[in-house]
Structure formats: structure tokens, C-alpha cells
Amino acid sequence: MPNTTILWFRRDLRLDDNPALLAALADGARVVPVYIHAPDEEAPWTAGATSHWWLHGSLLALDQALRQRGSCLWIARGDSLGELRRIAALTGATQVRWNRLYDPVTCERDTHIKQALRGDGLHCASHNAALLFEPWEIRNGSGQPYRVFTAFWRACVKQLHQLQPQPAPAALPPVHDLPASLTVADLDLLPRIAWDQGLRETWTPGETSALQQVNAFLNTQLNDYGVQRDFPAISGTSRLSAPLHFGEISPRRLLAMLRERGVDPLTDPWMRELGWREFSYHLLYHFPHTTTEPLDTRFAAFPWRTDNSAELLAAWQRGHTGIPLVDAGMRELWHTGWMHNRVRMIVASLLTKNLLLPWQAGAQWFWDTLVDADLACNTAGWQWTAGCGADAAPYFRVFNPVLQGERFDPDGNYIRRWCPELARLPKAYLHQPWTAPASILTAAGIRLGSTYPAPLVDLAASRQQALAAWERIKITPK
């Protein structure tokens, strides 16, 4: 029997530009592709039901792609180390390869597994499939991690020329002589109650779909992205956050596709979004405590609201705040597992600055409901809006959802889609129905507090409360 390598898939569910796969093939060994479902090992950041829905489709797509090349995906469930040892014994494997993860818990787990398998006499190696650069490769002039995005991205851009993606192999060694494994269905990833219709209508997980999606975006939307990305009612963004999170497409592949179009990586707005993703991972790796604690330590003493907080949080989660743009975003999230990026900032600002509820509560809700629930990006995004992270928005910047709606949803199409009870309201009052005369509300079939909620807070007064709270902590050192 030839030497056998176990290829351990995790969040790298693709064959194109997969460094662990290419290294395994270069060894000349038989390759056994393996996926082990071990959600408890990621606690407290176990993936939510929406992420599990995406994972189901992505695993099916990966198995199909492997079968088209003569292989298949061996699926297991349980303790990762125990399963790798069991599979190694069954296959006679002499080495294990995988692509790295960067979440604090999985980093610690993978280090333990690597040491244990090496103790068993197996060769183990890990690779970078998720990022342009490893978090430890980019340092400032003092050898410290960056805390400002612009300087970080400039340092990255200087090295981008070194990166070249590698194509997927045309064929793979067969693994037909192995005993049968679990199936994707055996992992029980889909909801037992069919709440996922909106997901099925919106998304098609898998590497093939991701490549089609990016090609469509680059061919039809890239040139206008800098302007259209801010308007939630139109399809102006790439919506690639979930494929990137699950590793269905490589950031190196995206970089190469952008190069073909002559894009300047330093200034192009979409390329900079890839840079923000890199920066988020840089921060998570170097400051792992920030998943639950503010990077700016002054915010540890921030006087978050304690009265009525559960009711306010529930209203925000359901999209019942009485603030139309916020409610539209929260309902889009619940229905599709995704929310437009500008609206994410607006709903996060309302939660943390107008409602004075802690950013951790919002981050947890996003984690549970987003198809692109990514610990690095979710943490960085929430800390940015709350004003307590690296390169964060100034705390005194409080998004006004009325003004934001009038500017970025001027015709109200986004609000009318997700808040249909407001559809008959004239545009002049759509973003702030509480200002409409009673006759206008009646004609539109709206009763505030009944058919549509009255606003939870006064936007102007709650902004002043937030600024007053900030004044209480800003004098302390960071």
C-alpha cells in the first residue's frame, strides 16, 4: 500500500488553491479527504443553526467535487483527535495535513492535536489557505502588531506581488477500498422545523457557486462598487463573506482575478474590504481576548443599560424597534441569514449607542443568525461600531438611522420590502413614521404601537445619553 496522507478539511471547503491538498499530492501519497464534525470543540463559539445550514450544502458540494476527480469525502463526528487516530489506523496513514484556523479555541486545539499525532509517530503539517498573509507575518516597525488599518494594509500591499493561487487538481487518487463513512445527512445540520426557506431562496453554498458569484460581481458590479455598496435596496456588493468564511474561495484567487482587471489594491474599495478581513484576523490572533472584551480597556467600565435591557434586546432582535431602517435590516437578517454591510453598522450603532446595550449581545446575535458568522470579522465589526476596538469609529459618531435611510434608501425600497406594513406610507414619512400626521398614518393603514411599533427611544435624546456615558470613561487611560 502506498503512503497515505489524511487531508483534514475544516473551513477550507474547496479544491482550488488549497495548499494542504496540493502539498499532500506533492508528497506522492494516497490522499484521504476527511471532515470531522466536532462543534463542541469550538465552544463557546459553536456555530449557530444558520451556519450549520450553509455547512450542509458546502460539504455536499465538496464531496461532489471530490467524486468528480475520483475521490470522496470521509465524514466522521466526535472527538477530532480520536477520529484522526482511528482513521489513521484504518488507512495506514503516515501523515496528516490541514489548513490553519485562527480562532483562539481552535488554535489551541490544533496545537494539541499536532503534538499528540506527532507523538504517535505521524508527520503533521498545517498550511495557510484562509488569508493573504499569516497574522504573524505583518508587523509594524517596532515588531508589534498593527492597530491601525491603513498602515497595516500598506504593509500588506507591498508584499501582494508574491502571492499566486494554484489551480485545483484535475484528478485525485481513489479511496474506494476504505470502509464507508458517515454521510452529510448523518450530521443533522439542517433544521428539523423548516424555517430555512429564505436561506434556500437566497443562497447556493459550494465552491462552484462561489466562483460563479465572484465572476458575476467582477464583470457587472466591480466598477460601480465604490458608490453602489452603500445602497441596501440594490445588489451592489459581492455577498462573498460566507464563501470566504467557509473557504469556498481563496483570497489569493480573488487577488489574481482583480489583477487581471488592473485593480490598484491600495485604493480599490473592494480590494480594501479584503484588507479589512485580513486586519480582522490580525487583530483576533494578536488580541484573542477581544471576542468578549474591548480592545480599548476604558470600555470595560462603560455604564451599559441594566434596566429593561432584555425587552429592548428582544425588540431589536425581532426588528421591532420602531426605527424603519433598523427593523428592515434585522428582518433581512432573520429571513436570509445576511444583512447589508452599511445596515449592519446602523443597527449596531442603535444597539450600542442609542439603546446603550453591550456590543457583546449584538455580536452574539449576529453569530447565531448570520450565514457568514466569522469570529474575526464579527468581533472587529462590532468593536468598530461600538468605538472600543482598533481603528474604531470615534465614539461620538452615532449613526442616525433616519438620515442614513434618507440618504441610502431614498425611495424607501429596502424598507418597503422588509417592513411591508409601512409600504403605503409616503416617502416623506417612511424613515420616521412617528412624525406623520394621524391622517397620513390612517390612510396608510398604520397604527403606531399596534400595526407598527412606536420607536423604542428618542434618537436625539438617546444620543446625548450615549455621549454623556462616554464622558464618564474617556479620561481613563487606554
Side-chain angles (χ1 to χ4, degrees):
M1 180 182 293
N3 289 335
T4 297
T5 296
I6 295 173
L7 175 63
W8 183 20
F9 280 97
R10 292 98 68 77
R11 290 200 294 271
D12 52 343
L13 305 180
R14 66 175 186 272
L15 302 183
D16 177 67
D17 194 38
N18 188 314
L21 169 60
L22 296 173
L25 292 174
D27 292 335
R30 182 178 67 157
V31 178
V32 179
V34 169
Y35 175 80
I36 303 170
H37 191 57
D40 292 345
E41 295 178 4
E42 299 184 6
W45 296 103
T46 303
T50 310
S51 290
H52 278 165
W53 178 90
W54 190 288
L55 176 62
H56 175 92
S58 194
L59 288 173
L60 286 176
L62 176 63
D63 184 49
Q64 181 182 22
L66 289 166
R67 291 178 184 276
Q68 290 170 348
R69 291 164 172 81
S71 184
C72 65
L73 186 63
W74 181 308
I75 298 173
R77 177 173 50 200
D79 171 65
S80 294
L81 175 58
E83 288 301 309
L84 288 170
R85 282 172 163 161
R86 181 178 71 87
I87 296 166
L90 283 170
T91 62
T94 57
Q95 53 188 349
V96 183
R97 291 187 181 273
W98 62 80
N99 292 307
R100 283 186 279 274
L101 299 172
Y102 303 91
D103 306 351
V105 172
T106 50
C107 279
E108 184 177 347
R109 178 200 65 179
D110 290 354
T111 298
H112 168 70
I113 288 176
K114 184 179 288 188
Q115 292 171 346
L117 292 178
R118 285 174 174 171
D120 295 343
L122 291 170
H123 172 74
C124 295
S126 58
H127 307 266
N128 173 20
L131 302 173
L132 297 171
F133 302 103
E134 297 286 18
W136 53 86
E137 292 176 341
I138 305 297
R139 299 275 187 163
N140 64 22
S142 302
Q144 299 299 312
Y146 282 96
R147 293 173 63 132
V148 176
F149 168 73
T150 303
F152 168 82
W153 187 230
R154 283 200 184 104
C156 290
V157 167
K158 292 177 181 177
Q159 303 181 49
L160 289 178
H161 66 279
Q162 304 171 10
L163 305 180
Q164 296 294 336
Q166 300 300 314
L172 292 169
V175 291
H176 53 75
D177 58 330
L178 299 179
S181 76
L182 298 178
T183 67
V184 175
D186 290 332
L187 300 181
D188 199 24
L189 296 168
L190 294 180
R192 297 181 181 180
I193 299 173
W195 52 261
D196 59 334
Q197 179 180 350
L199 302 181
R200 288 184 275 110
E201 293 171 349
T202 308
W203 306 104
T204 303
E207 180 178 6
T208 298
S209 176
L211 286 169
Q212 292 171 346
Q213 194 174 324
V214 71
N215 273 309
F217 171 75
L218 295 177
N219 291 333
T220 63
Q221 297 165 280
L222 178 65
N223 291 340
D224 297 323
Y225 171 78
V227 173
Q228 293 190 349
R229 64 175 176 173
D230 283 322
F231 294 85
I234 63 177
S235 180
T237 65
S238 67
R239 298 165 71 95
L240 284 169
S241 47
L244 278 165
H245 170 69
F246 285 94
E248 296 171 350
I249 193 164
S250 155
R252 286 184 295 263
R253 176 62 64 197
L254 294 177
L255 174 63
M257 297 170 82
L258 287 166
R259 279 187 184 132
E260 293 173 0
R261 289 161 172 80
V263 165
D264 181 351
L266 188 61
T267 60
D268 178 77
W270 193 73
M271 186 68 205
R272 284 172 63 87
E273 291 302 311
L274 281 180
W276 274 103
R277 178 177 180 271
E278 289 281 314
F279 188 48
S280 298
Y281 274 84
H282 180 83
L283 294 172
L284 179 65
Y285 180 82
H286 291 289
F287 308 102
H289 65 285
T290 56
T291 57
T292 55
E293 300 173 29
L295 183 61
D296 183 341
T297 56
R298 290 175 295 180
F299 277 81
F302 191 83
W304 300 110
R305 180 190 299 272
T306 56
D307 62 302
N308 207 31
S309 59
E311 293 83 355
L312 292 174
L313 178 62
W316 177 83
Q317 291 170 337
R318 295 194 306 266
H320 290 168
T321 68
I323 312 293
L325 186 59
V326 172
D327 290 344
M330 299 306 293
R331 296 181 194 185
E332 179 187 30
L333 171 62
W334 184 253
H335 185 74
T336 71
W338 186 85
M339 188 194 300
H340 187 276
N341 186 59
R342 174 158 289 275
V343 184
R344 293 189 195 200
M345 294 187 289
I346 294 165
V347 305
S349 179
L350 185 93
L351 183 77
T352 58
K353 295 178 178 176
N354 297 99
L355 299 181
L356 284 181
L357 296 179
W359 63 269
Q360 294 94 331
Q364 183 64 60
W365 183 249
F366 273 26
W367 179 260
D368 292 339
T369 53
L370 283 169
V371 292
D372 60 8
D374 182 286
L375 191 58
C377 297
N378 196 40
T379 300
W382 274 94
Q383 290 219 21
W384 184 89
T385 305
C388 61
D391 209 14
Y395 189 78
F396 53 80
R397 182 181 183 185
V398 181
F399 284 90
N400 184 312
V402 173
L403 298 180
Q404 291 282 310
E406 290 172 347
R407 181 177 179 185
F408 296 113
D409 188 29
D411 296 322
N413 294 331
Y414 181 72
I415 288 175
R416 289 190 172 92
R417 176 180 180 185
W418 296 111
C419 300
E421 66 269 43
L422 300 177
R424 294 168 55 195
L425 197 63
K427 186 168 62 174
Y429 302 106
L430 187 59
H431 296 285
Q432 43 185 340
W434 58 90
T435 66
S439 59
I440 297 292
L441 292 172
T442 300
I446 298 169
R447 296 191 307 277
L448 290 182
S450 176
T451 62
Y452 184 73
L456 290 178
V457 289
D458 178 280
L459 293 174
S462 59
R463 179 180 186 275
Q464 291 305 313
Q465 289 177 333
L467 296 180
W470 162 241
E471 290 293 331
R472 291 167 60 180
I473 67 165
K474 76 174 186 177
I475 60 173
T476 60
K478 292 187 179 182

